[in-house]
Amino acid sequence: MSRMFSRVRVFLLVGLGMGASWAAQSWAAQNSATQTNSAQSAFASIEQVKAPTDIHSAFTVSPSKAKGNFDPPLTLNKVKLSLNKSALEKEFLLQGAFIPQPAAAMGNGIKSRVVAFRQRDGKLYMLEATQGHSVTTDLPQNLILAEMPIVEETDTSITFDFNKGMSNLFFMGDWSAHDLDGADYDEGSRFSSVKVNSSFIESAEMTANNHLVIRQIAQLLLPYGVENFNLPVEVKYYLSPYNPSADFKPVESIKYDRTGYFEVAGQLTQQGTVKTYASKFNLNKPIVYAVSSNTPAEFKQAVKDGILYWNTVAGRTIVEAIDAPEGVVAPDINYNVIQWVPYDQAGFAYADAQMDPRTGEILHAQVYLTSAFAYLGVERAKALYLFKNDDKKSTRPSVGLKGLSQAGMCDFDSTEAIARSFSTVMAVAGDDAKYLRLAQDYVRQVTAHEVLHTAGLRHNFAGSLSASYPL
């Protein structure tokens, strides 16, 4: 349950001028008690900074112009991005996923932010809204995230270099827990970044669900002892008009008695206190989970059983299970993916989610379910059993930098449990069918466990042997 990196308590606020107005408007969105539209969330942007409802009205994606006399012509980025000038100084939701590439490309969400774009002196700047980062609107405040070169400009649009602008990766995760991470506002962790050594934009596309999805292929230059470590990664960025759900009721996370929720990062108030909201799905409609297409046929129904188990517990339909379309893999902005990972020696599963940073509403989530549970027959079961009882026990892939890991807020390690089950079953004459049934039960159990985490719930406290919270 640790953040990707240790905190770095260094942060710089840079003033570009004319920032106080947007800061005040950003604050007004939460603090105004005179919302005129009852169907609008109290956390929504006020009209002056509200982004166009259709992402196509704000951004344009087109093929890059090829350079050089080559066959085929060469270009660094496959696409170019343009921003409509009418969308300047408007609030968008920026989300993202950090996906290390070695071993198995499994990722985690990076902190969601409400951002706006500002043009100054041939550059396009991306700034974060000050709401939640400020105790007063009396002082001008600007929170710069990126500086993007402008490569073309017309009377109505700005074409900018997103890849060069995103030359630093902000790595704070989206899930938080104030009892573990601290309840204070820590500017170091919120704005800590790592240098992108080299990168290019692999793709950018508009989705049917009103998102701009940008895939950046990159190499991070990281310190590793007395040397440097070059980590290949993929970073997915998602941009959409910021529009919080009008029917979602944010829940302030105050104390943990018997159960608790994961949270979004705490927000500073004008009283100087920190307000923290629980991360929760909007249960006004069922949560739909998509089972990845690479899930083996012998286990697909077991995965769905694990998802649908929570309908039995709730006594109503709160979750649904579908087959993910071919080619859809986690993380995906359009689906809550249960991703099967063919990785027998991994021995773990974990959940991840991304939220509205102001309200805590979970917007999309995923579970990475490795194939360590999928022992289909006696011989494979024995091979896995021997591996898990070897001195070199299974571990999740490590990128080698202290504090940087792929661990989510729950990392379900199955190693010991599976080893115990193997030893029990092997003590009697077993056949392939018995091993398959046992493996399917493990898949059901782990899926159910991780699905509930994607709904925001942490481990129970009073009833958990892994915690010492008093009754």
Side-chain angles (χ1 to χ4, degrees):
M1 295 186 179
S2 61
R3 299 196 188 279
M4 288 184 181
F5 288 87
S6 59
R7 294 176 177 176
V8 181
R9 300 190 63 84
V10 179
F11 181 51
L12 179 66
L13 298 181
V14 183
L16 292 179
M18 299 179 65
S21 175
W22 182 38
Q25 293 167 344
S26 169
W27 265 109
Q30 183 174 9
N31 292 290
S32 173
T34 58
Q35 294 286 343
T36 57
N37 184 358
S38 60
Q40 177 175 299
S41 166
F43 291 82
S45 310
I46 59 174
E47 200 60 36
Q48 294 94 318
V49 294
K50 190 174 179 64
T53 56
D54 185 357
I55 193 70
H56 294 84
S57 299
F59 293 93
T60 301
V61 178
S62 56
S64 291
K65 293 180 180 179
K67 300 176 182 179
N69 297 318
F70 298 94
D71 187 17
L74 298 178
T75 180
L76 175 61
N77 302 314
K78 289 186 176 180
V79 297
K80 65 177 183 179
L81 298 171
S82 300
L83 175 72
N84 193 313
K85 288 185 175 179
S86 64
L88 289 168
E89 307 285 347
K90 308 299 184 183
E91 291 191 333
F92 293 88
L93 178 62
L94 173 69
Q95 297 187 296
F98 167 80
I99 312 168
Q101 299 297 287
M106 295 176 284
N108 284 95
I110 51 182
K111 186 182 184 305
S112 301
R113 304 172 189 268
V114 179
V115 303
F117 295 89
R118 179 175 300 167
Q119 183 181 11
R120 289 289 186 277
D121 298 328
K123 303 286 179 61
L124 185 67
Y125 293 90
M126 182 169 67
L127 297 90
E128 183 167 1
T130 59
Q131 179 181 316
H133 294 287
S134 175
V135 296
T136 178
T137 59
D138 293 342
L139 302 174
Q141 186 182 26
N142 296 274
L143 308 178
I144 296 180
L145 298 177
E147 175 189 298
M148 303 179 183
I150 294 176
V151 295
E152 294 178 26
E153 183 176 0
T154 69
D155 291 340
T156 59
S157 69
I158 298 169
T159 300
F160 58 98
D161 190 338
F162 183 87
N163 178 59
K164 191 168 184 179
M166 305 306 282
S167 58
N168 288 285
L169 172 64
F170 290 96
F171 50 73
M172 181 180 181
D174 219 10
W175 256 343
S176 184
H178 76 257
D179 59 322
L180 297 173
D181 301 318
D184 296 332
Y185 176 90
D186 182 357
E187 68 276 11
S189 64
R190 291 161 195 254
F191 294 95
S192 292
S193 64
V194 64
K195 181 68 176 176
V196 175
N197 196 31
S198 59
S199 64
F200 61 88
I201 299 302
E202 175 65 16
S203 66
E205 62 178 349
M206 308 286 193
T207 73
N209 292 335
N210 211 27
H211 296 96
L212 169 59
V213 180
I214 304 168
R215 293 178 56 223
Q216 183 184 40
I217 308 302
Q219 180 195 76
L220 304 183
L221 180 62
L222 306 173
Y224 185 62
V226 296
E227 301 176 342
N228 288 328
F229 174 47
N230 294 304
L231 175 65
V233 302
E234 177 179 334
V235 187
K236 284 187 176 181
Y237 288 105
Y238 314 117
L239 275 164
S240 60
Y242 181 64
N243 185 28
S245 301
D247 60 351
F248 177 78
K249 183 178 180 181
V251 175
E252 189 173 355
S253 185
I254 301 175
K255 61 181 180 178
Y256 303 131
D257 291 333
R258 296 176 184 272
T259 60
Y261 286 92
F262 297 131
E263 302 159 348
V264 290
Q267 303 172 57
L268 280 173
T269 69
Q270 287 185 304
Q271 290 73 43
T273 59
V274 177
K275 183 173 288 188
T276 304
Y277 289 102
S279 65
K280 301 177 66 177
F281 265 113
N282 188 340
L283 292 181
N284 291 318
K285 58 183 179 180
I287 310 164
V288 180
Y289 291 89
V291 181
S292 65
S293 61
N294 70 325
T295 305
E298 296 88 347
F299 294 99
K300 184 163 286 190
Q301 187 56 49
V303 173
K304 291 181 178 180
D305 290 344
I307 297 168
L308 300 175
Y309 167 77
W310 295 110
N311 290 335
T312 303
V313 174
R316 63 187 180 96
T317 300
I318 61 171
V319 292
E320 296 177 356
I322 64 171
D323 292 327
E326 191 75 28
V328 168
V329 298
D332 190 288
I333 191 69
N334 298 311
Y335 295 92
N336 303 309
V337 182
I338 310 297
Q339 181 66 55
W340 187 270
V341 182
Y343 194 179
D344 288 356
Q345 285 75 39
F348 66 85
Y350 71 96
D352 186 55
Q354 290 201 282
M355 285 68 65
D356 181 320
R358 290 181 180 171
T359 69
E361 181 184 359
I362 297 174
L363 302 177
H364 55 103
Q366 52 271 335
V367 169
Y368 289 97
L369 183 64
T370 61
S371 58
F373 319 98
Y375 41 95
L376 294 173
V378 175
E379 294 307 314
R380 189 173 182 196
K382 288 180 178 178
L384 285 172
Y385 174 71
L386 291 173
F387 174 83
K388 294 186 182 298
N389 282 275
D390 186 72
D391 288 338
K392 298 177 181 178
K393 287 189 175 180
S394 63
T395 57
R396 76 164 54 236
S398 171
V399 298
L401 178 66
K402 183 178 180 181
L404 172 61
S405 71
Q406 291 175 272
M409 297 299 281
C410 170
D411 185 355
F412 190 101
D413 190 339
S414 66
T415 303
E416 297 302 325
I418 289 181
R420 288 195 301 269
S421 297
F422 282 159
S423 61
T424 300
V425 174
M426 285 181 181
V428 299
D431 57 27
D432 287 357
K434 290 180 181 178
Y435 281 105
L436 176 58
R437 288 197 299 273
L438 181 60
Q440 289 169 335
D441 283 343
Y442 266 119
V443 169
R444 291 185 181 95
Q445 174 198 358
V446 177
T447 301
H449 181 107
E450 297 301 335
V451 161
L452 199 61
H453 279 317
T454 65
L457 280 167
R458 290 172 61 184
H459 295 130
N460 59 309
F461 294 138
S464 174
L465 296 178
S466 66
S468 57
Y469 288 81
L471 289 168

